[in-house]
Amino acid sequence: MNSLSVEEKKDLEIRLKRIEGQVRGIQKMIEEDKYCVDILTQVSAVRGALKKVGLIILDKHIHGCVQRAIRNDEGDAMIDELMDVLTRFTE
């Protein structure tokens, strides 16, 4: 993943550490028998945060790796790979 700048990597690391903290919070909520809806709200927040991380990486992949492959006349294989990734990402 060489399409990310140092600042972008730092941003992703911060986002992932925040998500890690949210997951720990959910574990604690379960241990403490918190209200189910409150737990589900936090699960939804984590899913949204992970989706955002994925979209950032996907954007960089498209504007970096895919774009480079198309310029190097390797676009068909890269587009096939991209479609596979999109299928998995949107499930």
Side-chain angles (χ1 to χ4, degrees), residues 3 8-10 13 15-16 18 20-21 25-26 29 42 51-52 55 63 73 75 84 86-88 90-91:
S3 300
E8 291 165 329
K9 285 181 182 180
K10 187 168 182 92
E13 289 173 10
R15 287 174 183 273
L16 290 168
R18 190 176 307 128
E20 183 179 25
I26 293 169
M29 291 175 79
Q42 291 305 309
K51 184 174 184 177
K52 179 65 176 175
L55 287 171
H63 286 97
D73 211 21
D84 183 51
L86 286 172
T87 300
R88 285 185 274 141
T90 58
E91 289 180 342

Side-chain angles (χ1 to χ4, degrees), residues 9 41 43-44 46 53 56 77:
K9 285 181 182 180
T41 299
V43 168
S44 178
V46 168
V53 167
I56 291 168

Side-chain angles (χ1 to χ4, degrees), residues 23-34 39 43:
V23 170
R24 279 198 212 102
I26 293 169
Q27 289 171 324
K28 186 175 180 182
M29 291 175 79
I30 291 170
E31 290 169 5
E32 296 175 354
D33 293 323
K34 297 293 183 182
I39 296 169
V43 168

